Amino acid sequence: KNSFAYLSVIPMVHAVVLLYNYYHIKQHRQLKFEGFESFSKLAVVLKPTLLAHMKLLQRSNDSELDDPDKQLSVTEKKIMDACDISNSLDASKDIPSTEGWPISKVAVLLIDSRKENCFLKHSSMTEGFFSLIEKDLDVSSCISEVMSEGKQKRKKIKVTRNFFEDAVDEDTLQQVAFSAVKEAAGINQNELIIIRSDVAYSLSKEKTMARFYIMQCK
C-alpha cells in the first residue's frame, strides 16, 4: 500500500513541475524558472516525506552528476524530465517551436456511440490516475503494426532509423492507436470510427509530439 501511494505521488510531482515551470510562468512571465535542484529542494520543503526518495539531496558530498540513471531516484528523474520538457516548450513564447519534433506516442479519447460517456484507464499501470488510452511509439510496435497490415509479408526487415521514420506514417499511427484501444478496452478496429485527430506536444518526453485521436464506438 505504501509503495503504491509513493508511486501515485510521482506523476503528481511531474505535473506540478510542468504546471509551474511552463503553464504558470507562461501567464506570469516575471516569475523565475526553477531548475532541477531548486525544484527538488522546494518539493522536499513542501512535502518532507519526499526526502526519503531523493538520492541527490541525501548525498554527503558535492560530486558532479555524471550518471543520472544511477545517481537519481525515480522521483528525481521525473523532476528532471519535467524541467527539461518545460525548458524546451519555453514559456516566453506564445507558441512552442515544435518544428521537426518526432511523434513519440499516440493518445486516444474513446467515446460511446451516443457521445455521452468516455473510456478512461485507471489502474496500477496508470499509477492510480485516470488516463487517456496511450501507447508509446517504438521500432517494435511500428514493425508489428506494419506487419499486421501485410505491407512487409515474406520480406526480411532491417531495423534502421530510416525504416522507423518511413514506417511512422498516418496509417501506421492509426494502427498503433487501434491496437492500444484493443489492448485497453477489448474493442476491435471494425467497431470504431475516428471522428477527429490532431497533433500536440508531448508532456511525457522532451521535444516530441503526440498523435491524438477521438474514436467513437459504432
Side-chain angles (χ1 to χ4, degrees):
K1 184 176 180 180
N2 290 336
S3 176
F4 182 78
Y6 164 62
L7 288 176
S8 68
V9 170
I10 295 174
M12 289 184 190
V13 173
H14 182 85
V16 168
V17 176
L18 289 169
L19 284 171
Y20 177 80
N21 268 344
Y22 182 62
Y23 293 102
H24 193 57
I25 291 180
K26 191 175 179 66
Q27 295 184 10
H28 306 278
R29 297 187 179 180
Q30 75 278 10
L31 296 176
K32 177 187 174 185
F33 180 93
E34 296 292 344
F36 165 66
E37 289 197 29
S38 60
F39 218 111
S40 296
K41 293 175 182 177
L42 179 61
V44 170
V45 170
L46 296 175
K47 193 172 181 63
T49 54
L50 282 177
L51 181 59
H53 307 287
M54 297 289 201
K55 289 184 179 180
L56 188 67
L57 296 183
Q58 294 183 50
R59 291 189 306 174
S60 57
N61 56 60
D62 295 325
S63 58
E64 291 186 5
L65 186 64
D66 51 18
D67 192 350
D69 286 337
K70 292 182 179 179
Q71 292 175 269
L72 297 181
S73 66
V74 176
T75 304
E76 288 169 320
K77 289 175 187 175
K78 282 291 185 180
I79 294 175
M80 179 175 280
D81 288 346
C83 285
D84 290 341
I85 292 168
S86 300
N87 190 49
S88 64
L89 291 174
D90 193 351
S92 67
K93 297 179 179 178
D94 292 333
I95 301 174
S97 300
T98 59
E99 184 177 355
W101 290 9
I103 294 176
S104 64
K105 69 177 180 180
V106 297
V108 180
L109 175 62
L110 179 63
I111 60 177
D112 64 11
S113 58
R114 295 185 178 183
K115 298 183 180 180
E116 295 177 347
N117 300 289
C118 64
F119 178 96
L120 296 176
K121 295 173 67 176
H122 183 264
S123 66
S124 59
M125 293 297 291
T126 60
E127 299 171 328
F129 282 78
F130 288 99
S131 169
L132 296 177
I133 298 171
E134 296 184 347
K135 189 168 186 176
D136 290 333
L137 291 180
D138 54 34
V139 173
S140 59
S141 67
C142 288
I143 288 176
S144 66
E145 300 310 328
V146 170
M147 289 289 286
S148 69
E149 292 181 88
K151 292 181 179 179
Q152 295 289 336
K153 284 184 179 178
R154 299 178 184 176
K155 291 183 180 180
K156 290 184 178 180
I157 295 176
K158 184 178 181 181
V159 180
T160 64
R161 181 176 178 82
N162 287 336
F163 171 83
F164 182 53
E165 291 175 348
D166 292 341
V168 186
D169 55 16
E170 179 57 25
D171 288 341
T172 303
L173 290 172
Q174 288 185 15
Q175 290 303 313
V176 173
F178 284 128
S179 173
V181 173
K182 173 67 175 177
E183 291 173 9
I187 301 173
N188 294 318
Q189 177 178 342
N190 59 7
E191 301 174 89
L192 299 167
I193 304 171
I194 295 176
I195 60 176
R196 184 174 177 180
S197 63
D198 208 338
V199 178
Y201 52 79
S202 172
L203 295 178
S204 58
K205 189 174 181 180
E206 183 188 7
K207 293 184 178 181
T208 63
M209 305 293 284
R211 187 62 165 161
F212 173 68
Y213 296 97
I214 299 178
M215 293 188 184
Q216 182 181 354
C217 298
K218 293 182 181 178

mmCIF file of all heavy atoms in Angstrom, residues 44-93:
data_model
loop_
_atom_site.group_PDB
_atom_site.id
_atom_site.type_symbol
_atom_site.label_atom_id
_atom_site.label_comp_id
_atom_site.label_asym_id
_atom_site.label_seq_id
_atom_site.Cartn_x
_atom_site.Cartn_y
_atom_site.Cartn_z
ATOM 1 N N VAL A 44 10.790 19.015 -1.357
ATOM 2 C CA VAL A 44 11.023 18.444 -0.025
ATOM 3 C C VAL A 44 10.523 19.381 1.073
ATOM 4 O O VAL A 44 10.004 18.938 2.098
ATOM 5 C CB VAL A 44 12.522 18.126 0.165
ATOM 6 C CG1 VAL A 44 12.825 17.771 1.612
ATOM 7 C CG2 VAL A 44 12.933 16.981 -0.750
ATOM 8 N N VAL A 45 10.663 20.681 0.852
ATOM 9 C CA VAL A 45 10.155 21.655 1.826
ATOM 10 C C VAL A 45 8.633 21.545 1.933
ATOM 11 O O VAL A 45 8.062 21.557 3.033
ATOM 12 C CB VAL A 45 10.552 23.094 1.425
ATOM 13 C CG1 VAL A 45 9.819 24.120 2.297
ATOM 14 C CG2 VAL A 45 12.056 23.275 1.554
ATOM 15 N N LEU A 46 7.975 21.411 0.781
ATOM 16 C CA LEU A 46 6.516 21.335 0.760
ATOM 17 C C LEU A 46 5.991 19.975 1.200
ATOM 18 O O LEU A 46 4.905 19.873 1.764
ATOM 19 C CB LEU A 46 6.004 21.657 -0.648
ATOM 20 C CG LEU A 46 6.295 23.074 -1.151
ATOM 21 C CD1 LEU A 46 5.843 23.237 -2.596
ATOM 22 C CD2 LEU A 46 5.602 24.114 -0.265
ATOM 23 N N LYS A 47 6.765 18.930 0.916
ATOM 24 C CA LYS A 47 6.369 17.573 1.307
ATOM 25 C C LYS A 47 7.599 16.845 1.848
ATOM 26 O O LYS A 47 8.282 16.127 1.109
ATOM 27 C CB LYS A 47 5.765 16.824 0.121
ATOM 28 C CG LYS A 47 5.045 15.539 0.511
ATOM 29 C CD LYS A 47 4.314 14.940 -0.677
ATOM 30 C CE LYS A 47 3.572 13.669 -0.295
ATOM 31 N NZ LYS A 47 2.515 13.902 0.706
ATOM 32 N N PRO A 48 7.903 17.012 3.128
ATOM 33 C CA PRO A 48 9.128 16.456 3.730
ATOM 34 C C PRO A 48 9.308 14.955 3.546
ATOM 35 O O PRO A 48 10.443 14.470 3.491
ATOM 36 C CB PRO A 48 8.970 16.819 5.217
ATOM 37 C CG PRO A 48 8.108 18.040 5.211
ATOM 38 C CD PRO A 48 7.138 17.825 4.091
ATOM 39 N N THR A 49 8.214 14.201 3.436
ATOM 40 C CA THR A 49 8.338 12.748 3.286
ATOM 41 C C THR A 49 9.019 12.358 1.976
ATOM 42 O O THR A 49 9.482 11.224 1.825
ATOM 43 C CB THR A 49 6.951 12.080 3.352
ATOM 44 O OG1 THR A 49 6.080 12.694 2.390
ATOM 45 C CG2 THR A 49 6.348 12.212 4.740
ATOM 46 N N LEU A 50 9.098 13.293 1.031
ATOM 47 C CA LEU A 50 9.767 13.005 -0.238
ATOM 48 C C LEU A 50 11.275 12.858 -0.083
ATOM 49 O O LEU A 50 11.934 12.276 -0.941
ATOM 50 C CB LEU A 50 9.475 14.115 -1.266
ATOM 51 C CG LEU A 50 8.113 14.097 -1.956
ATOM 52 C CD1 LEU A 50 7.991 15.301 -2.877
ATOM 53 C CD2 LEU A 50 7.921 12.808 -2.748
ATOM 54 N N LEU A 51 11.819 13.385 1.006
ATOM 55 C CA LEU A 51 13.268 13.333 1.198
ATOM 56 C C LEU A 51 13.796 11.900 1.155
ATOM 57 O O LEU A 51 14.900 11.649 0.663
ATOM 58 C CB LEU A 51 13.653 13.985 2.531
ATOM 59 C CG LEU A 51 15.157 14.031 2.845
ATOM 60 C CD1 LEU A 51 15.909 14.806 1.760
ATOM 61 C CD2 LEU A 51 15.404 14.650 4.213
ATOM 62 N N ALA A 52 12.995 10.963 1.645
ATOM 63 C CA ALA A 52 13.412 9.554 1.646
ATOM 64 C C ALA A 52 13.591 9.016 0.232
ATOM 65 O O ALA A 52 14.250 7.994 0.028
ATOM 66 C CB ALA A 52 12.381 8.714 2.397
ATOM 67 N N HIS A 53 13.002 9.710 -0.746
ATOM 68 C CA HIS A 53 13.073 9.257 -2.140
ATOM 69 C C HIS A 53 13.936 10.181 -2.994
ATOM 70 O O HIS A 53 13.857 10.153 -4.216
ATOM 71 C CB HIS A 53 11.661 9.180 -2.725
ATOM 72 C CG HIS A 53 10.713 8.368 -1.899
ATOM 73 N ND1 HIS A 53 10.782 6.991 -1.836
ATOM 74 C CD2 HIS A 53 9.700 8.735 -1.081
ATOM 75 C CE1 HIS A 53 9.838 6.548 -1.016
ATOM 76 N NE2 HIS A 53 9.170 7.580 -0.554
ATOM 77 N N MET A 54 14.761 10.989 -2.339
ATOM 78 C CA MET A 54 15.631 11.927 -3.046
ATOM 79 C C MET A 54 17.094 11.566 -2.801
ATOM 80 O O MET A 54 17.672 11.914 -1.772
ATOM 81 C CB MET A 54 15.366 13.363 -2.575
ATOM 82 C CG MET A 54 13.970 13.869 -2.869
ATOM 83 S SD MET A 54 13.722 14.158 -4.632
ATOM 84 C CE MET A 54 12.340 15.302 -4.578
ATOM 85 N N LYS A 55 17.695 10.854 -3.720
ATOM 86 C CA LYS A 55 19.090 10.436 -3.561
ATOM 87 C C LYS A 55 20.044 11.625 -3.569
ATOM 88 O O LYS A 55 20.991 11.687 -2.791
ATOM 89 C CB LYS A 55 19.480 9.473 -4.687
ATOM 90 C CG LYS A 55 18.856 8.093 -4.607
ATOM 91 C CD LYS A 55 19.403 7.221 -5.735
ATOM 92 C CE LYS A 55 18.827 5.816 -5.687
ATOM 93 N NZ LYS A 55 19.373 4.980 -6.788
ATOM 94 N N LEU A 56 19.792 12.567 -4.467
ATOM 95 C CA LEU A 56 20.708 13.696 -4.635
ATOM 96 C C LEU A 56 20.803 14.535 -3.368
ATOM 97 O O LEU A 56 21.891 14.932 -2.948
ATOM 98 C CB LEU A 56 20.249 14.568 -5.807
ATOM 99 C CG LEU A 56 21.211 15.677 -6.238
ATOM 100 C CD1 LEU A 56 22.485 15.083 -6.823
ATOM 101 C CD2 LEU A 56 20.554 16.605 -7.245
ATOM 102 N N LEU A 57 19.664 14.797 -2.746
ATOM 103 C CA LEU A 57 19.648 15.641 -1.552
ATOM 104 C C LEU A 57 20.219 14.928 -0.332
ATOM 105 O O LEU A 57 20.533 15.574 0.669
ATOM 106 C CB LEU A 57 18.218 16.108 -1.261
ATOM 107 C CG LEU A 57 17.570 17.007 -2.320
ATOM 108 C CD1 LEU A 57 16.192 17.454 -1.866
ATOM 109 C CD2 LEU A 57 18.450 18.225 -2.612
ATOM 110 N N GLN A 58 20.349 13.620 -0.416
ATOM 111 C CA GLN A 58 20.891 12.862 0.714
ATOM 112 C C GLN A 58 22.400 12.651 0.607
ATOM 113 O O GLN A 58 23.019 12.109 1.517
ATOM 114 C CB GLN A 58 20.203 11.493 0.800
ATOM 115 C CG GLN A 58 18.725 11.573 1.150
ATOM 116 C CD GLN A 58 18.106 10.199 1.306
ATOM 117 O OE1 GLN A 58 18.624 9.345 2.012
ATOM 118 N NE2 GLN A 58 16.989 9.970 0.639
ATOM 119 N N ARG A 59 22.985 13.101 -0.504
ATOM 120 C CA ARG A 59 24.433 12.922 -0.668
ATOM 121 C C ARG A 59 25.199 13.789 0.320
ATOM 122 O O ARG A 59 24.812 14.921 0.610
ATOM 123 C CB ARG A 59 24.860 13.288 -2.091
ATOM 124 C CG ARG A 59 24.374 12.323 -3.151
ATOM 125 C CD ARG A 59 25.012 12.625 -4.494
ATOM 126 N NE ARG A 59 24.817 14.023 -4.879
ATOM 127 C CZ ARG A 59 25.372 14.582 -5.957
ATOM 128 N NH1 ARG A 59 26.162 13.875 -6.726
ATOM 129 N NH2 ARG A 59 25.135 15.847 -6.244
ATOM 130 N N SER A 60 26.290 13.255 0.805
ATOM 131 C CA SER A 60 27.106 13.988 1.778
ATOM 132 C C SER A 60 28.192 14.816 1.110
ATOM 133 O O SER A 60 28.877 15.598 1.750
ATOM 134 C CB SER A 60 27.764 13.006 2.762
ATOM 135 O OG SER A 60 28.550 12.055 2.061
ATOM 136 N N ASN A 61 28.361 14.637 -0.207
ATOM 137 C CA ASN A 61 29.380 15.417 -0.915
ATOM 138 C C ASN A 61 28.748 16.123 -2.108
ATOM 139 O O ASN A 61 27.593 15.900 -2.439
ATOM 140 C CB ASN A 61 30.531 14.512 -1.384
ATOM 141 C CG ASN A 61 30.025 13.359 -2.248
ATOM 142 O OD1 ASN A 61 29.428 13.572 -3.298
ATOM 143 N ND2 ASN A 61 30.263 12.130 -1.803
ATOM 144 N N ASP A 62 29.514 16.965 -2.744
ATOM 145 C CA ASP A 62 29.022 17.740 -3.885
ATOM 146 C C ASP A 62 29.586 17.221 -5.206
ATOM 147 O O ASP A 62 29.912 17.992 -6.104
ATOM 148 C CB ASP A 62 29.396 19.222 -3.725
ATOM 149 C CG ASP A 62 28.699 19.851 -2.541
ATOM 150 O OD1 ASP A 62 27.552 19.466 -2.270
ATOM 151 O OD2 ASP A 62 29.307 20.724 -1.882
ATOM 152 N N SER A 63 29.719 15.907 -5.306
ATOM 153 C CA SER A 63 30.245 15.323 -6.538
ATOM 154 C C SER A 63 29.302 15.606 -7.700
ATOM 155 O O SER A 63 28.095 15.766 -7.521
ATOM 156 C CB SER A 63 30.426 13.810 -6.376
ATOM 157 O OG SER A 63 29.203 13.200 -6.031
ATOM 158 N N GLU A 64 29.870 15.660 -8.900
ATOM 159 C CA GLU A 64 29.082 16.002 -10.076
ATOM 160 C C GLU A 64 28.103 14.883 -10.436
ATOM 161 O O GLU A 64 28.347 13.710 -10.184
ATOM 162 C CB GLU A 64 30.008 16.280 -11.265
ATOM 163 C CG GLU A 64 30.825 17.549 -11.117
ATOM 164 C CD GLU A 64 31.612 17.853 -12.376
ATOM 165 O OE1 GLU A 64 31.432 17.131 -13.378
ATOM 166 O OE2 GLU A 64 32.403 18.808 -12.350
ATOM 167 N N LEU A 65 27.017 15.298 -11.061
ATOM 168 C CA LEU A 65 26.002 14.348 -11.505
ATOM 169 C C LEU A 65 26.374 13.890 -12.912
ATOM 170 O O LEU A 65 26.062 14.549 -13.894
ATOM 171 C CB LEU A 65 24.630 15.027 -11.504
ATOM 172 C CG LEU A 65 23.414 14.150 -11.809
ATOM 173 C CD1 LEU A 65 23.240 13.096 -10.730
ATOM 174 C CD2 LEU A 65 22.159 15.012 -11.909
ATOM 175 N N ASP A 66 27.077 12.753 -13.008
ATOM 176 C CA ASP A 66 27.544 12.295 -14.316
ATOM 177 C C ASP A 66 26.828 11.042 -14.809
ATOM 178 O O ASP A 66 27.010 10.629 -15.950
ATOM 179 C CB ASP A 66 29.062 12.052 -14.293
ATOM 180 C CG ASP A 66 29.493 11.169 -13.132
ATOM 181 O OD1 ASP A 66 28.631 10.473 -12.555
ATOM 182 O OD2 ASP A 66 30.683 11.177 -12.800
ATOM 183 N N ASP A 67 26.005 10.424 -13.972
ATOM 184 C CA ASP A 67 25.248 9.239 -14.377
ATOM 185 C C ASP A 67 23.869 9.279 -13.722
ATOM 186 O O ASP A 67 23.628 8.604 -12.718
ATOM 187 C CB ASP A 67 25.997 7.967 -13.974
ATOM 188 C CG ASP A 67 25.397 6.719 -14.620
ATOM 189 O OD1 ASP A 67 24.297 6.833 -15.208
ATOM 190 O OD2 ASP A 67 26.015 5.648 -14.540
ATOM 191 N N PRO A 68 22.939 10.082 -14.290
ATOM 192 C CA PRO A 68 21.610 10.253 -13.693
ATOM 193 C C PRO A 68 20.867 8.947 -13.441
ATOM 194 O O PRO A 68 20.160 8.816 -12.441
ATOM 195 C CB PRO A 68 20.873 11.115 -14.727
ATOM 196 C CG PRO A 68 21.956 11.857 -15.432
ATOM 197 C CD PRO A 68 23.104 10.892 -15.500
ATOM 198 N N ASP A 69 21.028 7.960 -14.336
ATOM 199 C CA ASP A 69 20.306 6.699 -14.175
ATOM 200 C C ASP A 69 20.659 5.997 -12.868
ATOM 201 O O ASP A 69 19.826 5.322 -12.264
ATOM 202 C CB ASP A 69 20.596 5.758 -15.348
ATOM 203 C CG ASP A 69 19.891 6.199 -16.618
ATOM 204 O OD1 ASP A 69 18.886 6.922 -16.502
ATOM 205 O OD2 ASP A 69 20.345 5.836 -17.712
ATOM 206 N N LYS A 70 21.900 6.156 -12.431
ATOM 207 C CA LYS A 70 22.339 5.504 -11.199
ATOM 208 C C LYS A 70 22.277 6.433 -9.991
ATOM 209 O O LYS A 70 22.062 5.981 -8.868
ATOM 210 C CB LYS A 70 23.772 4.983 -11.368
ATOM 211 C CG LYS A 70 23.903 3.835 -12.358
ATOM 212 C CD LYS A 70 25.339 3.349 -12.431
ATOM 213 C CE LYS A 70 25.482 2.178 -13.410
ATOM 214 N NZ LYS A 70 26.886 1.701 -13.504
ATOM 215 N N GLN A 71 22.479 7.713 -10.222
ATOM 216 C CA GLN A 71 22.585 8.653 -9.113
ATOM 217 C C GLN A 71 21.257 9.268 -8.686
ATOM 218 O O GLN A 71 21.162 9.830 -7.596
ATOM 219 C CB GLN A 71 23.565 9.778 -9.477
ATOM 220 C CG GLN A 71 25.013 9.307 -9.595
ATOM 221 C CD GLN A 71 25.922 10.418 -10.069
ATOM 222 O OE1 GLN A 71 26.151 10.591 -11.256
ATOM 223 N NE2 GLN A 71 26.444 11.194 -9.126
ATOM 224 N N LEU A 72 20.240 9.173 -9.539
ATOM 225 C CA LEU A 72 18.952 9.788 -9.224
ATOM 226 C C LEU A 72 17.879 8.742 -8.948
ATOM 227 O O LEU A 72 17.890 7.647 -9.511
ATOM 228 C CB LEU A 72 18.486 10.678 -10.383
ATOM 229 C CG LEU A 72 19.361 11.883 -10.738
ATOM 230 C CD1 LEU A 72 18.733 12.649 -11.885
ATOM 231 C CD2 LEU A 72 19.562 12.789 -9.535
ATOM 232 N N SER A 73 16.938 9.109 -8.097
ATOM 233 C CA SER A 73 15.785 8.250 -7.828
ATOM 234 C C SER A 73 14.754 8.442 -8.936
ATOM 235 O O SER A 73 14.881 9.339 -9.777
ATOM 236 C CB SER A 73 15.165 8.627 -6.481
ATOM 237 O OG SER A 73 14.610 9.936 -6.552
ATOM 238 N N VAL A 74 13.714 7.619 -8.932
ATOM 239 C CA VAL A 74 12.644 7.741 -9.928
ATOM 240 C C VAL A 74 11.983 9.118 -9.831
ATOM 241 O O VAL A 74 11.694 9.764 -10.843
ATOM 242 C CB VAL A 74 11.584 6.635 -9.728
ATOM 243 C CG1 VAL A 74 10.420 6.830 -10.692
ATOM 244 C CG2 VAL A 74 12.204 5.258 -9.926
ATOM 245 N N THR A 75 11.766 9.575 -8.604
ATOM 246 C CA THR A 75 11.147 10.884 -8.394
ATOM 247 C C THR A 75 12.017 11.998 -8.963
ATOM 248 O O THR A 75 11.525 12.907 -9.646
ATOM 249 C CB THR A 75 10.922 11.137 -6.889
ATOM 250 O OG1 THR A 75 10.139 10.074 -6.349
ATOM 251 C CG2 THR A 75 10.205 12.457 -6.663
ATOM 252 N N GLU A 76 13.312 11.927 -8.693
ATOM 253 C CA GLU A 76 14.225 12.957 -9.190
ATOM 254 C C GLU A 76 14.301 12.951 -10.715
ATOM 255 O O GLU A 76 14.388 14.007 -11.346
ATOM 256 C CB GLU A 76 15.612 12.744 -8.580
ATOM 257 C CG GLU A 76 15.662 13.101 -7.102
ATOM 258 C CD GLU A 76 16.943 12.645 -6.436
ATOM 259 O OE1 GLU A 76 17.419 11.531 -6.739
ATOM 260 O OE2 GLU A 76 17.475 13.405 -5.605
ATOM 261 N N LYS A 77 14.254 11.767 -11.307
ATOM 262 C CA LYS A 77 14.269 11.682 -12.771
ATOM 263 C C LYS A 77 13.027 12.345 -13.357
ATOM 264 O O LYS A 77 13.092 13.012 -14.393
ATOM 265 C CB LYS A 77 14.343 10.221 -13.219
ATOM 266 C CG LYS A 77 15.690 9.560 -12.962
ATOM 267 C CD LYS A 77 15.647 8.086 -13.331
ATOM 268 C CE LYS A 77 16.924 7.376 -12.932
ATOM 269 N NZ LYS A 77 16.852 5.915 -13.169
ATOM 270 N N LYS A 78 11.888 12.152 -12.684
ATOM 271 C CA LYS A 78 10.646 12.776 -13.151
ATOM 272 C C LYS A 78 10.733 14.296 -13.065
ATOM 273 O O LYS A 78 10.254 15.010 -13.948
ATOM 274 C CB LYS A 78 9.460 12.267 -12.323
ATOM 275 C CG LYS A 78 8.980 10.883 -12.705
ATOM 276 C CD LYS A 78 8.331 10.887 -14.082
ATOM 277 C CE LYS A 78 7.732 9.541 -14.426
ATOM 278 N NZ LYS A 78 7.108 9.535 -15.771
ATOM 279 N N ILE A 79 11.333 14.791 -11.987
ATOM 280 C CA ILE A 79 11.505 16.235 -11.841
ATOM 281 C C ILE A 79 12.426 16.762 -12.937
ATOM 282 O O ILE A 79 12.142 17.778 -13.580
ATOM 283 C CB ILE A 79 12.071 16.583 -10.449
ATOM 284 C CG1 ILE A 79 11.050 16.242 -9.363
ATOM 285 C CG2 ILE A 79 12.449 18.063 -10.372
ATOM 286 C CD1 ILE A 79 11.566 16.430 -7.945
ATOM 287 N N MET A 80 13.532 16.056 -13.164
ATOM 288 C CA MET A 80 14.483 16.476 -14.198
ATOM 289 C C MET A 80 13.838 16.452 -15.581
ATOM 290 O O MET A 80 13.994 17.398 -16.371
ATOM 291 C CB MET A 80 15.716 15.570 -14.180
ATOM 292 C CG MET A 80 16.750 15.919 -15.239
ATOM 293 S SD MET A 80 18.268 14.943 -15.108
ATOM 294 C CE MET A 80 19.099 15.824 -13.782
ATOM 295 N N ASP A 81 13.093 15.381 -15.879
ATOM 296 C CA ASP A 81 12.418 15.276 -17.179
ATOM 297 C C ASP A 81 11.428 16.425 -17.373
ATOM 298 O O ASP A 81 11.361 17.031 -18.449
ATOM 299 C CB ASP A 81 11.672 13.941 -17.293
ATOM 300 C CG ASP A 81 12.609 12.759 -17.461
ATOM 301 O OD1 ASP A 81 13.797 12.984 -17.760
ATOM 302 O OD2 ASP A 81 12.155 11.610 -17.288
ATOM 303 N N ALA A 82 10.654 16.712 -16.325
ATOM 304 C CA ALA A 82 9.649 17.775 -16.418
ATOM 305 C C ALA A 82 10.303 19.144 -16.596
ATOM 306 O O ALA A 82 9.787 19.997 -17.323
ATOM 307 C CB ALA A 82 8.756 17.765 -15.177
ATOM 308 N N CYS A 83 11.441 19.351 -15.940
ATOM 309 C CA CYS A 83 12.176 20.611 -16.120
ATOM 310 C C CYS A 83 12.681 20.732 -17.556
ATOM 311 O O CYS A 83 12.596 21.803 -18.167
ATOM 312 C CB CYS A 83 13.356 20.683 -15.143
ATOM 313 S SG CYS A 83 12.900 21.025 -13.426
ATOM 314 N N ASP A 84 13.197 19.631 -18.099
ATOM 315 C CA ASP A 84 13.694 19.639 -19.482
ATOM 316 C C ASP A 84 12.558 19.898 -20.473
ATOM 317 O O ASP A 84 12.717 20.653 -21.441
ATOM 318 C CB ASP A 84 14.374 18.308 -19.811
ATOM 319 C CG ASP A 84 15.692 18.124 -19.067
ATOM 320 O OD1 ASP A 84 16.251 19.138 -18.599
ATOM 321 O OD2 ASP A 84 16.155 16.971 -18.953
ATOM 322 N N ILE A 85 11.406 19.258 -20.229
ATOM 323 C CA ILE A 85 10.247 19.453 -21.109
ATOM 324 C C ILE A 85 9.784 20.907 -21.051
ATOM 325 O O ILE A 85 9.532 21.540 -22.082
ATOM 326 C CB ILE A 85 9.093 18.507 -20.707
ATOM 327 C CG1 ILE A 85 9.472 17.054 -20.995
ATOM 328 C CG2 ILE A 85 7.808 18.867 -21.466
ATOM 329 C CD1 ILE A 85 8.525 16.035 -20.382
ATOM 330 N N SER A 86 9.681 21.447 -19.838
ATOM 331 C CA SER A 86 9.250 22.840 -19.664
ATOM 332 C C SER A 86 10.209 23.797 -20.358
ATOM 333 O O SER A 86 9.790 24.763 -21.004
ATOM 334 C CB SER A 86 9.175 23.188 -18.173
ATOM 335 O OG SER A 86 8.260 22.359 -17.497
ATOM 336 N N ASN A 87 11.489 23.520 -20.226
ATOM 337 C CA ASN A 87 12.504 24.377 -20.837
ATOM 338 C C ASN A 87 12.414 24.350 -22.359
ATOM 339 O O ASN A 87 12.537 25.384 -23.024
ATOM 340 C CB ASN A 87 13.896 23.930 -20.385
ATOM 341 C CG ASN A 87 14.977 24.912 -20.784
ATOM 342 O OD1 ASN A 87 14.857 26.111 -20.568
ATOM 343 N ND2 ASN A 87 16.039 24.408 -21.380
ATOM 344 N N SER A 88 12.172 23.172 -22.928
ATOM 345 C CA SER A 88 12.090 23.060 -24.385
ATOM 346 C C SER A 88 10.815 23.702 -24.932
ATOM 347 O O SER A 88 10.804 24.214 -26.052
ATOM 348 C CB SER A 88 12.167 21.589 -24.815
ATOM 349 O OG SER A 88 11.061 20.855 -24.328
ATOM 350 N N LEU A 89 9.737 23.691 -24.142
ATOM 351 C CA LEU A 89 8.497 24.344 -24.573
ATOM 352 C C LEU A 89 8.636 25.864 -24.525
ATOM 353 O O LEU A 89 8.033 26.570 -25.328
ATOM 354 C CB LEU A 89 7.327 23.891 -23.692
ATOM 355 C CG LEU A 89 6.890 22.433 -23.856
ATOM 356 C CD1 LEU A 89 5.824 22.074 -22.825
ATOM 357 C CD2 LEU A 89 6.368 22.172 -25.261
ATOM 358 N N ASP A 90 9.429 26.363 -23.567
ATOM 359 C CA ASP A 90 9.781 27.782 -23.474
ATOM 360 C C ASP A 90 8.564 28.683 -23.236
ATOM 361 O O ASP A 90 7.896 29.119 -24.177
ATOM 362 C CB ASP A 90 10.519 28.227 -24.739
ATOM 363 C CG ASP A 90 11.177 29.591 -24.561
ATOM 364 O OD1 ASP A 90 10.925 30.253 -23.531
ATOM 365 O OD2 ASP A 90 11.946 29.992 -25.453
ATOM 366 N N ALA A 91 8.304 28.955 -21.967
ATOM 367 C CA ALA A 91 7.147 29.761 -21.578
ATOM 368 C C ALA A 91 7.209 31.194 -22.089
ATOM 369 O O ALA A 91 6.199 31.904 -22.078
ATOM 370 C CB ALA A 91 7.011 29.756 -20.053
ATOM 371 N N SER A 92 8.376 31.643 -22.548
ATOM 372 C CA SER A 92 8.490 33.016 -23.055
ATOM 373 C C SER A 92 7.870 33.168 -24.443
ATOM 374 O O SER A 92 7.651 34.285 -24.914
ATOM 375 C CB SER A 92 9.962 33.444 -23.106
ATOM 376 O OG SER A 92 10.678 32.704 -24.081
ATOM 377 N N LYS A 93 7.577 32.047 -25.095
ATOM 378 C CA LYS A 93 6.979 32.080 -26.430
ATOM 379 C C LYS A 93 5.477 31.821 -26.346
ATOM 380 O O LYS A 93 5.019 31.028 -25.529
ATOM 381 C CB LYS A 93 7.628 31.020 -27.327
ATOM 382 C CG LYS A 93 9.115 31.246 -27.577
ATOM 383 C CD LYS A 93 9.685 30.149 -28.458
ATOM 384 C CE LYS A 93 11.169 30.375 -28.726
ATOM 385 N NZ LYS A 93 11.757 29.280 -29.543
#
